[in-house]
Amino acid sequence: MANVKLAVIYYSMGGTNYQLAQWAEAGGKEAGAEVKLFKIPETAPKEVIEGNPGWKAHVEATGHVPEITLNDLEWADAIVFSIPTRFGNVPGQVKQFLDTTGGLWFHGKLVNKVVSAMSSAQNYHGGQEATILSLYTSMYHWGAIIAAPGYTDPVTFGAGGNPYGTSVTVDQNGKMIEDVEAAVKHQAKRTATVAEWVKKGLH
């Protein structure tokens, strides 16, 4: 792979999207990309997090994961996002970070980034696909190239696979109902592969 730099960026309260991101990280590395894992900066008040044992535990367990910066976005050729749904839209933390990318956008630094996204919710048809498509709307403004999985591999027809991006349902105990590891890895590999095509075409 022609030196493809893949950023896997997630936001997670309970760990689901962190797990998806780790699978994407593994898939990108299997494809031969240089992969870095980042989390979206947390903006929720500390007292709110402290009042939710599961959320607090996840924040503490992922303290080692670096927060995404604008420099990291500029570094990446390809990006895989993994985020939960919030009323069919992206979480406020994600939107707040995206709103800081105006400078990069203005200078054309986000053009031709190859992007793909994944999502989760606590019930079937709980907004996962709408969240992915909502994120893609911002990517169109970036001038990014969307590398949705489509039906490019039989794994997409399985549980959790869909043409927009892998999505999962989480039960009340925080456990993923669908087995999506293979779908996530395929999506990450496809994203890195498309980025390689783009890089070769630009040079």
Side-chain angles (χ1 to χ4, degrees), residues 125-149:
H125 310 295
Q128 294 98 320
E129 292 177 7
T131 296
I132 291 170
L133 295 175
S134 177
L135 177 70
Y136 286 165
T137 298
S138 295
M139 301 301 101
Y140 299 138
H141 284 259
W142 280 10
I145 297 169
I146 305 301

Side-chain angles (χ1 to χ4, degrees), residues 32 42 48 60 92 109 121 161 167 171 188 197:
E42 183 59 78
V48 173
E60 292 174 349
K109 300 295 187 180
S167 63
D171 66 19
W197 296 340

Side-chain angles (χ1 to χ4, degrees), residues 8 12 16 20 22 36 41 44 48 59 61 69 77-78 88 117 123 134 169-170 173 181 194-195 197 201:
V8 179
S12 191
T16 298
L20 295 178
Q22 289 177 298
K36 294 182 181 181
V48 173
V59 168
T69 69
D77 301 308
N123 54 298
S134 177
T169 310
V170 183
N173 297 315
E181 182 176 356
V194 172
W197 296 340

Side-chain angles (χ1 to χ4, degrees), residues 50-68:
E50 294 285 336
N52 183 317
W55 194 352
K56 178 183 178 183
H58 176 69
V59 168
E60 292 174 349
T62 55
H64 64 286
V65 180
E67 293 184 342
I68 186 69

Side-chain angles (χ1 to χ4, degrees), residues 11-203:
Y11 176 73
S12 191
M13 287 174 56
T16 298
N17 286 279
Y18 176 48
Q19 177 62 79
L20 295 178
Q22 289 177 298
W23 286 333
E25 178 186 23
K29 288 179 178 178
E30 288 172 12
E34 179 184 353
V35 188
K36 294 182 181 181
L37 179 67
F38 302 100
K39 61 187 175 187
I40 296 283
E42 183 59 78
T43 60
K46 185 177 180 180
E47 58 270 22
V48 173
I49 299 173
E50 294 285 336
N52 183 317
W55 194 352
K56 178 183 178 183
H58 176 69
V59 168
E60 292 174 349
T62 55
H64 64 286
V65 180
E67 293 184 342
I68 186 69
T69 69
L70 297 180
N71 287 337
D72 298 319
L73 278 187
E74 189 170 355
W75 166 85
D77 301 308
I79 304 167
V80 174
F81 287 97
S82 189
I83 58 176
T85 184
R86 290 292 182 273
F87 301 113
N89 211 318
V90 302
Q93 290 86 344
V94 177
K95 181 63 167 62
Q96 184 160 328
F97 175 72
L98 293 177
D99 284 348
T100 70
T101 64
L104 290 178
W105 167 83
F106 182 79
H107 292 287
K109 300 295 187 180
L110 301 173
V111 172
N112 294 328
K113 301 289 185 185
V114 177
V115 177
S116 201
M118 307 179 290
S119 190
S120 66
Q122 284 198 323
N123 54 298
Y124 293 109
H125 310 295
Q128 294 98 320
E129 292 177 7
T131 296
I132 291 170
L133 295 175
S134 177
L135 177 70
Y136 286 165
T137 298
S138 295
M139 301 301 101
Y140 299 138
H141 284 259
W142 280 10
I145 297 169
I146 305 301
Y151 293 104
T152 54
D153 188 275
V155 73
T156 309
F157 292 92
N162 72 63
Y164 313 107
T166 308
S167 63
V168 293
T169 310
V170 183
D171 66 19
Q172 295 303 311
N173 297 315
K175 182 179 179 181
M176 281 185 265
I177 294 173
E178 301 96 346
D179 180 5
V180 297
E181 182 176 356
V184 170
K185 288 184 174 180
H186 167 67
Q187 185 172 347
K189 290 174 183 178
R190 172 168 164 75
T191 304
T193 298
V194 172
E196 182 180 30
W197 296 340
V198 172
K199 288 194 76 169
K200 286 181 176 178
L202 290 175
H203 293 294

